[in-house]
Structures are given as C-alpha cells and as structure tokens.
Amino acid sequence: MMMSCKHATELISQGLDRPLSRSERLRLRLHLLLCLGCRRTQAQFRFLREAMRQHPWKL
Amino acid sequence: MSAFPEDIQSSLNSIRPRLLGFARLQLRSAAAAEDVVQDALEAALANLSKFAGAAAFQTWVFSILKNKIIDELRRNSRMECDVDAEAALDETVAELFNERDHWAEMPAAWGNPQGSLEQKRFWEVMEACLDNLPAAPARVFTMREFLDLETEEICKELAISPSNCWVLLHRARIGLRECLGRRWFGESTA
C-alpha cells in the first residue's frame, strides 16, 4: 500500500532533521515519484530552510 | 589590537536592530528581546579586551547573543499553551488531507521562490507568519533553523522527546508553508 501524503510530509520534514533509515528513504522516494503534491511540499520545506539561512537578521 | 571606542559604539548601533529582530523572533516578546540584547551588549563591552580583530566583531556579538537567548529559552523551557493558535493550526493540518490522509487539494507550486529573498516585504510576511504559529512549534522551528541547533540539543534544552520535536517541526513547516502560500505566493484560499 502506498504511503499516505500526510506521512510522506512527516518524513520529508524529518529528513531535514535526522538521517532517514534506508527503508524510509526508499518508500519516500517511491511516493515522491508518484505524487506531485508531495514533491512540491518537499521543495517548499527546503525553501523554508534556505530562507531562514538567509534571513537578514541572521549573521 | 582593539578598535577605538567610537567605532565600537557605531558598530553596535548599526547591528542593534538586527540583534533585536533576531532575539524577538525567538523569544516572541519585544520586552524580553530588549533585555537579552542589553545583556549581550553589556557582556560584549565588558569582554572587549578578549576580542581581537574588528572584521569578526559582529559575528562575535551575535554569538554572545545566541548564548544568552539559549539561556533564556532554557530558563523558560515550559512552553505556554497557545490554545487558539494551536486549534487554528490543527484545523489547517486537518483541512489539507482527506480521510485517507492524501491531499484534499493539490498544493500549488511556488515557481522560483528564490527571488523573494531579495524583497524586504517578503521578510515582513515571514515574520508575521512566524508570529501566527503557536508558541511551541514556533520556538522549536526557530531554534532549529535560526539558532542552527540539532534536534538533540533542542530536546535537551526544552526537555521534550525527539518524536515530539519532529511533530512540532512538521507542524511549524506545514503552518509556514500555508501562511506563505496564502500571503505571499498568492494561493487562493479554498
């Protein structure tokens, strides 16, 4: 059964904070291959990190 | 080799707004931010002799401030419960997914968002969106992305479990994504 989008977004988020296990990575990759909404979410979560890195108040 | 006092003063004055903004984002209180910045500036001035090389002066003051903020967060580690904001975020998350936990509506693309980072208005919207988050996810998110702490350190400082930390980070990212989508990237509200 395919992973739900909600769970996929949880793994996308956690992937920014901890190394995912091999099976988590594989299942997420498979889900992303098939799901445009989750690919967009991944790009957007990554953008949030990038934006905070470049925050004008940050040094 | 130390800079002249007037250079120090003008350097401090020029970074003060950034120090305040930085502290306010994390402490979510203008008064607490004033206090911690004042503390950090006094500590910086008291330790000027330990500091050599004006090029890195701002970095040095920022590192002092960062430690003061972490102290303050540790002292206040019991996070206030933001009932209304929590309920609003619950609803946002619930509305995103259908009963099978798949997208209720396809998230919109943001095109090339990098250009936004150059725009002053973008940062105002970002700040408003961070302020809109409930206290707990906002705090964990800014500790992670603004203070660059690892999740283990955040868990330790706030005395929460790693899984709790990941849940809060996920909620913060979902909430920010929705808020920026609506208020900056021009997504329509369903």
Side-chain angles (χ1 to χ4, degrees):
Chain A
M1 200 190 98
M2 187 159 119
M3 175 189 290
S4 73
C5 296
K6 189 176 185 184
H7 185 52
T9 66
E10 288 163 4
L11 285 184
I12 292 165
S13 178
Q14 288 178 34
L16 295 170
D17 305 313
R18 68 170 173 93
L20 299 181
S21 74
R22 194 179 151 76
S23 87
E24 286 172 329
R25 275 204 314 277
L26 284 173
R27 292 177 62 224
L28 179 59
R29 205 174 300 159
L30 181 63
H31 182 98
L32 289 173
L33 214 54
L34 301 170
C35 180
L36 175 62
C38 287
R39 286 201 297 279
R40 286 180 177 166
T41 301
Q42 182 177 50
Q44 288 159 355
F45 282 4
R46 286 177 176 163
F47 170 73
L48 287 176
R49 165 154 300 171
E50 182 60 22
M52 293 305 278
R53 293 241 155 99
Q54 295 186 38
H55 200 292
W57 290 335
K58 192 164 164 172
L59 207 85
Chain B
M1 189 185 73
S2 66
F4 294 115
E6 57 267 37
D7 291 343
I8 295 290
Q9 201 55 54
S10 73
S11 184
L12 286 179
N13 285 340
S14 73
I15 60 172
R16 195 178 154 82
R18 278 166 70 196
L19 295 170
L20 275 174
F22 184 87
R24 195 174 59 233
L25 260 192
Q26 270 138 130
L27 301 174
R28 294 166 75 86
S29 144
E34 282 283 349
D35 287 349
V36 82
V37 166
Q38 197 54 41
D39 258 20
L41 292 179
E42 279 168 20
L45 289 172
N47 289 289
L48 268 186
S49 60
K50 290 189 198 150
F51 171 76
F57 181 71
Q58 295 195 359
T59 316
W60 178 66
V61 175
F62 255 82
S63 70
I64 294 173
L65 177 66
K66 219 161 129 168
N67 287 325
K68 297 269 176 204
I69 290 172
I70 293 172
D71 285 348
E72 182 63 27
L73 291 174
R74 189 184 294 136
R75 249 199 309 280
N76 276 310
S77 68
R78 204 180 58 81
M79 286 181 281
E80 64 272 41
C81 198
D82 236 339
V83 181
D84 292 349
E86 288 285 354
L89 183 55
D90 282 345
E91 199 178 325
T92 299
V93 175
E95 282 174 354
L96 283 179
F97 302 100
N98 63 23
E99 64 290 342
R100 288 168 49 242
D101 280 346
H102 290 281
W103 295 109
E105 201 180 322
M106 174 71 67
W110 284 356
N112 178 10
Q114 291 296 326
S116 303
L117 303 180
E118 312 293 322
Q119 297 179 52
K120 188 165 168 277
R121 179 82 189 114
F122 171 77
W123 296 109
E124 291 166 11
V125 173
M126 174 70 101
E127 192 184 358
C129 287
L130 282 164
D131 278 340
N132 273 348
L133 287 178
R139 175 175 290 189
V140 173
F141 181 80
T142 53
M143 287 176 91
R144 178 78 184 108
E145 305 292 4
F146 221 44
L147 291 176
D148 301 314
L149 297 178
E150 293 298 330
T151 29
E152 300 89 85
E153 299 171 86
I154 299 171
C155 297
K156 206 173 82 200
E157 299 299 349
L158 301 179
I160 59 178
S161 69
S163 60
N164 197 349
C165 203
W166 292 322
V167 168
L168 290 169
L169 285 166
H170 176 249
R171 285 167 62 83
R173 288 179 178 127
I174 290 270
L176 284 174
R177 199 225 79 88
E178 286 307 297
C179 183
L180 288 175
R182 230 172 339 100
R183 296 174 64 167
W184 181 258
F185 292 104
E187 293 169 16
S188 59
T189 44

